[in-house]
Amino acid sequence: MSASAAARALFAGALLAACVAAWAAGGELKPWGGGATPSLVLRDLQGREHKLADYRGKVVVLNFWATWCVPCREEMPSMQRLAAKLAGRPFAILAVDFGEGAPRVSEFLKKVPVRFAVLLDRDTSAATAWKVKVLPTTLVLDREQRIRYSVVGDLDWDSQFVEDTIKKLLPPAEARAGLVRRDLWSGTLSE
C-alpha cells in the first residue's frame, strides 16, 4: 500500500469513528461562528455542473454525507420533507456525497429517493475546502451565501424549529408578492 493510500485509509477510518460519535450525540442547529464561505463547483449524477454562485438569492442547505454513513442515510428523508414544505420558495438543498462514485450513490437513491441536487465530491476536495471533519456535516447559507448555521451530526430537518429557523432567512411572502406585482406593473413577469 502506498503512503497516500495509507493516509486516505487512516483518514477514512478517523472519519468513520467521528461519524459514529456524531450519530450517538445527534446534531444541533448552531449559529455559525466560522469564516467565510468557500466556493463550490461539483457535478451531479447526470454530469451537470452546479456552482454555489448559481444559487445566490436562495437559502441553501449544504449537506456533506456518504451512503455508508448511517446518520447521513437516516436524515435524508427529513431533508426531502423539508424541501417539499418549502417548495416554491427561494430554497435549495445540495447534498454533497463524500468520495463515492455515481453508481453507488445512484443505487442508494433508488432506496431513498430525493428530489434535490445530489453532487459528487469524488476526491473529497470540496469537503476539505469546507473543513468537513465529521459526516454528516450541514451548513445553512442565507440568500447572500453567508453561512448562518451549521450542524455536525444528523438532524430532524423537517422539525418545526428547523423549518422556522430557515423560514427566517427567506424573504417574507408579502415581499415576494410585492416583487411580482411590481414586475407585472412594469410589464415584465418575473420573480
Side-chain angles (χ1 to χ4, degrees):
M1 180 183 295
S2 72
S4 64
R8 279 194 306 269
L10 182 61
F11 178 73
L15 190 59
L16 180 59
C19 288
V20 171
W23 184 35
E28 181 183 338
L29 195 61
K30 295 181 180 179
W32 178 252
T37 305
S39 65
L40 181 77
V41 179
L42 292 171
R43 296 197 179 274
D44 64 20
L45 292 166
Q46 292 73 40
R48 290 185 300 260
E49 186 175 85
H50 291 254
K51 296 178 185 174
L52 183 59
D54 295 339
Y55 291 87
R56 183 171 289 286
K58 293 184 177 190
V59 172
V60 175
V61 171
L62 182 64
N63 173 254
F64 288 88
W65 71 289
T67 63
W68 49 262
C69 168
V70 174
C72 300
R73 295 191 316 249
E74 289 181 350
E75 76 176 348
M76 280 288 186
S78 72
M79 289 183 138
Q80 180 55 52
R81 289 189 299 271
L82 176 65
K85 285 180 179 182
L86 297 176
R89 304 287 302 268
F91 175 76
I93 295 176
L94 302 176
V96 179
D97 178 77
F98 182 86
E100 298 178 292
R104 184 173 184 149
V105 175
S106 295
E107 196 59 35
F108 168 78
L109 292 173
K110 288 178 186 174
K111 299 173 195 141
V112 182
V114 297
R115 290 182 297 281
F116 48 80
V118 176
L119 310 178
L120 300 173
D121 185 13
R122 294 289 314 263
D123 64 0
T124 69
S125 60
T128 301
W130 286 77
K131 296 181 174 79
V132 173
K133 294 177 176 39
V134 174
L135 295 179
T137 290
T138 308
L139 301 129
V140 179
L141 288 70
D142 67 17
R143 293 176 292 140
E144 288 78 37
Q145 298 193 331
R146 295 176 303 225
I147 302 170
R148 299 291 297 275
Y149 299 97
S150 66
V151 179
V152 176
D154 63 322
L155 186 68
D156 181 8
W157 284 96
D158 64 335
S159 73
Q160 194 61 54
F161 171 76
V162 172
E163 183 181 345
D164 291 346
T165 301
I166 289 175
K167 281 182 175 178
K168 288 176 187 172
L169 300 175
L170 294 168
E174 302 80 41
R176 289 171 21 101
L179 288 173
V180 171
R181 279 194 295 276
R182 254 193 313 264
D183 288 342
L184 288 172
W185 182 256
S186 69
T188 61
L189 180 60
S190 65
E191 190 170 311

